[in-house]
Amino acid sequence: MGEETVDKLTPTGSECVSNANKEGNGETAEGVKYYTLEEIRAHSVSSDSWLIIHDKVYDVTSFLEEHPGGEEVLLEQAGSDATESFEDVGHSTDAREMLQQYYVGELHTDDRKKEAATEETFSNSESSSWTTWLISAIAAVVVGVVYRYYLLEHKSS
């Protein structure tokens, strides 16, 4: 019983973290804390904002008012994976280094697989679309060459 009380006194003050640690999926030998998507989604308000960027979890609550793009930009992504948005903006090296001070842990490996599968499906559909276009273009060139060949052959006859 005393162990439960100690577990609830985590540095982040998050009860979700203490529950994860009790279940064995919270902390590794290196001291890295893992959070599930469900736990991270609970941190999506201005008084408690977490983001996932490249499978790392950041508590950006104290940075909301300082963010050059405005706090609304961060709040739109709070509690979810902001990797694509972060990369689309093209943040500077300084911004990437600054991000490290808000680091609280990593996305749980089970949730990484879900996201990777979704991204893989998307990239496969992109490549099949590209492949379809390429095959169509090659077919058009072949038809054009064959047409020219027969056209020239009939003129000479």
Side-chain angles (χ1 to χ4, degrees):
M1 194 117 190
E3 238 178 66
E4 288 179 32
T5 309
V6 173
D7 281 345
K8 288 185 180 178
L9 298 174
T10 59
T12 60
S14 171
E15 203 168 303
C16 294
V17 174
S18 64
N19 289 339
N21 287 339
K22 283 187 223 172
E23 294 171 8
N25 24 324
E27 205 168 309
T28 65
E30 299 90 31
V32 175
K33 293 187 179 172
Y34 289 90
Y35 299 94
T36 63
L37 276 175
E38 185 178 317
E39 291 170 330
I40 296 165
R41 285 185 185 125
H43 302 275
S44 61
V45 293
S46 61
S47 59
D48 186 22
S49 300
W50 288 15
L51 297 173
I52 303 166
I53 300 174
H54 296 292
D55 295 330
K56 296 183 184 203
V57 182
Y58 301 95
D59 181 353
V60 295
T61 309
S62 60
F63 183 66
L64 290 176
E65 292 180 10
E66 299 172 32
H67 187 255
E71 66 182 83
E72 299 82 20
V73 176
L74 295 176
L75 288 173
E76 285 176 7
Q77 300 292 322
S80 64
D81 190 342
T83 304
E84 188 175 341
S85 298
F86 184 81
E87 292 301 335
D88 285 349
V89 171
H91 284 88
S92 66
T93 305
D94 291 339
R96 292 173 190 277
E97 289 173 6
M98 184 184 288
L99 193 59
Q100 297 310 311
Q101 67 188 350
Y102 302 104
Y103 177 82
V104 292
E106 305 237 352
L107 183 61
H108 195 277
T109 52
D110 291 344
D111 291 325
R112 288 182 191 179
K113 291 176 186 173
K114 290 177 191 172
E115 288 186 356
T118 304
E119 288 175 13
E120 188 175 306
T121 302
F122 180 70
S123 70
N124 284 344
S125 68
E126 278 183 0
S127 68
S128 69
S129 170
W130 182 81
T131 306
T132 303
W133 177 86
L134 181 62
I135 290 171
S136 300
I138 291 172
V141 169
V142 168
V143 168
V145 168
V146 169
Y147 177 74
R148 286 261 192 198
Y149 174 75
Y150 282 114
L151 187 64
L152 290 174
E153 190 175 290
H154 286 304
K155 279 187 176 179
S156 63
S157 305

